[in-house]
Amino acid sequence: MKIVDFHCDALSKLWENPKASFDNSPDLDVTLKSMEEGDVALQVFAVFLSEQYGRPSFERVMAQIDIFRAKLNGTGKLEWLKWRDQIREVRSGSKRWGLLSLEGVDGLEGNLFYVRLCYELGVRLMGLTWNHANWAADGVMEKRGGGLTDKGREMVQLCNELGIILDVSHLSVAGFWELAELVSRPLIASHSNAYGVCPHPRNLSDEQIRALIAMDGRIGLTFVPWFIRRDTPTVKPEDLLPHVERICSLGGEHHMMFGSDFDGIEQWVEGLESPGKYQDWVNTLLKHYPEQLVQGWMSDNALNFLEQYLPVQQGSRS
């Protein structure tokens, strides 16, 4: 069963360690080898700028985009997904694909020209924040819990015009509801679970889940152990099933996907430590749910969304 994964942080690790190989580096969760082992057809690669290396800058955004261009796409290891009409190839072909996102717009430095430039360079998804405040909005861990700034609202309008899909994972609750009123296409939560099952601030409330479903958005359940359970040191794949059930009970069986957060974590779900374990996860789900539903969660729901909301390449008939 083909897999689509809507979030990983492999690019930031490759930036931190230029000698690491995407082919099969033991320092990476997501490698070409692990994608092949798990039959991952499409992986979303986030540009994440850790503040431990200083103030986020556009130079560092460009550096990670260039790593994707040169080490992943330019070597022929991955095809670069940018346009709606490419989804047919993702569905039918045997190639591996990558899609670029920004995990927080801190590195765009409040410059809307950089937003446009990222789009021109192939970025198709953007989260407004990481956990804290930046020039565009408050993150979910910012204590004041504010929403979007004036410049953030300008950025949203530009994303509407360009065709960039916006991501609410990490965004404050106030920012979530404000953004939901401003966007012209549905939102995604690339890597968040259900707060009603595990009350972590990064998870989504029932009201937020219902709102994403109502707008035809997507929710990427994540493998971050402490977003799944907080009462045990060891988390197993079966512990994610209550989150699946919660979203289904709210009407989201056709809006659910997965966003692992591989390479963004240092603790793993036991038995879900890399993309190579995805087929084991498929088999676990098939013990509890019909194949058609599982196939939707693993790839079809995500691909249907991208086929409708990715931009159309100029000159294409799609």
Side-chain angles (χ1 to χ4, degrees), residues 111-162:
N111 188 330
L112 297 184
F113 174 74
Y114 290 162
V115 177
R116 187 178 297 275
L117 185 55
C118 280
Y119 174 82
E120 295 296 334
L121 291 172
V123 174
R124 293 294 179 264
L125 311 174
M126 283 189 187
L128 275 69
T129 64
W130 190 60
N131 284 336
H132 307 297
N134 63 18
W135 60 266
D138 273 11
V140 71
M141 305 302 287
E142 193 70 34
K143 290 183 179 180
R144 66 183 175 184
L148 276 60
T149 66
D150 288 345
K151 183 60 71 70
R153 285 185 281 273
E154 289 181 47
M155 192 204 81
V156 171
Q157 180 58 40
L158 180 56
C159 289
N160 286 340
E161 295 170 6
L162 294 172

Side-chain angles (χ1 to χ4, degrees), residues 50 71 73 89 103 109 286 297:
S50 172
K71 291 189 174 183
N73 173 247
E89 298 178 65
E103 188 171 17
E109 303 176 17
L286 287 173
W297 301 337

Side-chain angles (χ1 to χ4, degrees), residues 110-275:
N111 188 330
L112 297 184
F113 174 74
Y114 290 162
V115 177
R116 187 178 297 275
L117 185 55
C118 280
Y119 174 82
E120 295 296 334
L121 291 172
V123 174
R124 293 294 179 264
L125 311 174
M126 283 189 187
L128 275 69
T129 64
W130 190 60
N131 284 336
H132 307 297
N134 63 18
W135 60 266
D138 273 11
V140 71
M141 305 302 287
E142 193 70 34
K143 290 183 179 180
R144 66 183 175 184
L148 276 60
T149 66
D150 288 345
K151 183 60 71 70
R153 285 185 281 273
E154 289 181 47
M155 192 204 81
V156 171
Q157 180 58 40
L158 180 56
C159 289
N160 286 340
E161 295 170 6
L162 294 172
I164 294 173
I165 296 163
L166 294 173
D167 182 357
V168 299
S169 287
H170 290 288
L171 186 60
S172 68
V173 173
F176 175 99
W177 294 111
E178 189 173 355
L179 184 61
E181 294 295 322
L182 294 174
V183 289
S184 61
R185 59 184 54 76
L187 298 166
I188 64 165
S190 62
H191 57 305
S192 297
N193 290 340
Y195 187 91
V197 175
C198 179
H200 189 285
R202 274 277 286 102
N203 287 338
L204 299 167
S205 69
D206 288 355
E207 292 75 20
Q208 289 174 308
I209 292 169
R210 289 191 185 99
L212 290 169
I213 293 167
M215 68 172 68
D216 194 35
R218 294 295 183 271
I219 302 157
L221 292 186
T222 187
F223 303 157
V224 180
W226 51 97
F227 294 178
I228 299 172
R229 289 188 66 172
R230 304 182 73 182
D231 58 351
T232 177
T234 302
V235 177
K236 298 183 178 181
E238 290 80 4
D239 293 325
L240 192 53
L241 295 177
H243 295 269
V244 173
E245 279 294 304
R246 186 70 167 221
I247 291 176
C248 287
S249 73
L250 296 169
E253 64 269 20
H254 300 303
H255 302 82
M256 187 164 48
M257 55 186 189
F258 292 98
S260 64
D261 208 6
F262 287 137
D263 289 304
I265 50 178
E266 296 180 354
Q267 298 175 35
W268 296 265
V269 174
E270 192 175 90
L272 272 176
E273 297 89 355
S274 79

Side-chain angles (χ1 to χ4, degrees), residues 39-112:
D39 200 10
V40 177
L42 171 62
Q43 176 69 60
V44 175
F45 291 88
V47 173
F48 172 66
L49 308 183
S50 172
E51 292 188 352
Q52 68 176 307
Y53 297 104
R55 183 174 177 271
S57 67
F58 190 61
E59 180 181 2
R60 286 167 57 198
V61 171
M62 291 290 290
Q64 290 191 31
I65 293 175
D66 193 58
I67 287 169
F68 180 84
R69 180 198 61 79
K71 291 189 174 183
L72 281 64
N73 173 247
T75 56
K77 296 180 175 72
L78 293 180
E79 299 294 318
W80 192 336
L81 179 61
K82 301 177 184 179
W83 308 109
R84 186 180 304 180
D85 60 0
Q86 292 175 301
I87 296 297
R88 290 194 295 270
E89 298 178 65
V90 179
R91 291 186 192 277
S92 62
S94 58
K95 296 177 181 179
R96 312 286 165 197
W97 292 76
L99 177 62
L100 274 181
S101 72
L102 295 189
E103 188 171 17
V105 298
D106 306 57
L108 303 187
E109 303 176 17
N111 188 330
L112 297 184

